[in-house]
């Protein structure tokens, strides 16, 4: 029986927690992983862990979900480099409960709102043509 074609899966926040574990498992199951991480150093460290059992080497896409320009650049990179996206897992979030005063992005949005809502919305909108053209989008 032929093996199913691997899916190309983008995971935001793939450098820690649930995002890292999801990326590791999906890579071990034979899928192509695009690890979207804000910090390049932490992203490269995560790639080592993801690729330890990956069937296909994962790719780091540096993406700051609080920065609209970074999101646009990431979407362009994904579109240009892979030309395919089957699944987008919007996992990244900011939950710093110790912060007592609001922080604002250079765009003027409150950091939690920008990272947890505006960024994933923009990323999904920018990647939706790729997702819609996938054989079985998820």
């Amino acid at each position: 029986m032929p093996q199913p074609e691997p899916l190309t899966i983008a995971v935001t926040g793939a450098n820690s927690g649930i995002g890292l574990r999801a990326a590791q498992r999906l890579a071990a199951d034979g899928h192509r992983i695009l690890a979207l991480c804000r910090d390049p150093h932490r992203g490269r460290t995560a790639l080592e862990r993801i690729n330890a059992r990956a069937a296909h080497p994962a790719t780091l896409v540096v993406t700051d979900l609080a920065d609209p320009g970074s999101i646009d650049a990431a979407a362009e990179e994904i579109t240009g480099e892979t030309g395919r996206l089957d699944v987008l897992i919007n996992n990244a979030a900011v939950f710093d409960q110790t912060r007592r005063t609001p922080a604002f992005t250079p765009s003027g949005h409150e950091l939690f709102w920008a990272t947890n809502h505006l960024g994933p919305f923009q990323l999904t909108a920018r990647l939706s043509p790729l997702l819609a053209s996938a054989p079985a989008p998820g």
Side-chain angles (χ1 to χ4, degrees):
M1 176 177 264
Q3 292 288 339
E5 185 174 344
L7 299 175
T8 299
I9 303 171
V11 182
T12 67
N15 59 287
S16 65
I18 293 170
L20 175 59
R21 291 187 189 42
Q24 287 174 302
R25 176 60 190 259
L26 292 164
D29 286 348
H31 302 293
R32 293 182 184 96
I33 301 301
L34 304 173
L36 280 67
C37 304
R38 175 182 59 222
D39 181 278
H41 174 70
R42 291 180 64 199
R44 285 189 296 274
T45 300
L47 277 187
E48 292 174 13
R49 294 179 66 184
I50 295 166
N51 288 333
R53 294 184 32 225
H56 305 280
T59 302
L60 175 62
V61 180
V62 176
T63 313
D64 183 348
L65 290 176
D67 178 359
S70 176
I71 295 166
D72 287 342
E76 289 297 320
E77 182 177 340
I78 292 167
T79 300
E81 190 165 306
T82 67
R84 176 181 176 165
L85 185 62
D86 299 289
V87 178
L88 171 61
I89 300 174
N90 279 312
N91 165 75
V94 174
F95 291 109
D96 182 358
Q97 298 298 316
T98 64
R99 183 175 288 280
R100 298 295 176 224
T101 58
F104 292 90
T105 68
S107 301
H109 299 288
E110 193 277 325
L111 179 64
F112 287 22
W113 175 246
T115 304
N116 300 353
H117 177 73
L118 298 176
F121 182 86
Q122 180 183 346
L123 181 65
T124 302
R126 289 295 314 273
L127 295 176
S128 63
L130 276 182
L131 289 165
S133 68

